[in-house]
Amino acid sequence: AGPFAFTLFTLGIVGTGLVGAYTTFSTFTFDTVHLLESREWAPSAVNMVLSLGAGLGAAALGLALGSLT
């Protein structure tokens, strides 16, 4: 086994995470573009700001929890 040897369980978890992230990003993009094309400026801005804020907040929380010993 090399430095990147993964079990099937690990590959399943990573694969599920990547597909989940892709579909979440696709939905976010579709919704935002639809709002912009509909000239819904305020809802599209709220969608972008809250989505970005929630994502960065979740990442910061994950980093903080991961650094606990």
Side-chain angles (χ1 to χ4, degrees), residues 14-65:
V14 170
T16 300
L18 289 174
V19 170
Y22 176 73
T23 57
T24 300
F25 180 74
S26 297
T27 302
F28 162 72
T29 303
F30 177 82
D31 289 342
T32 302
V33 168
H34 177 71
L35 288 168
L36 289 170
E37 288 177 342
S38 300
R39 303 177 86 69
E40 298 284 343
W41 310 120
S44 65
V46 168
N47 184 40
M48 288 186 276
V49 169
L50 290 180
S51 294
L52 182 61
L56 291 174
L61 179 62
L63 287 172
L65 291 175

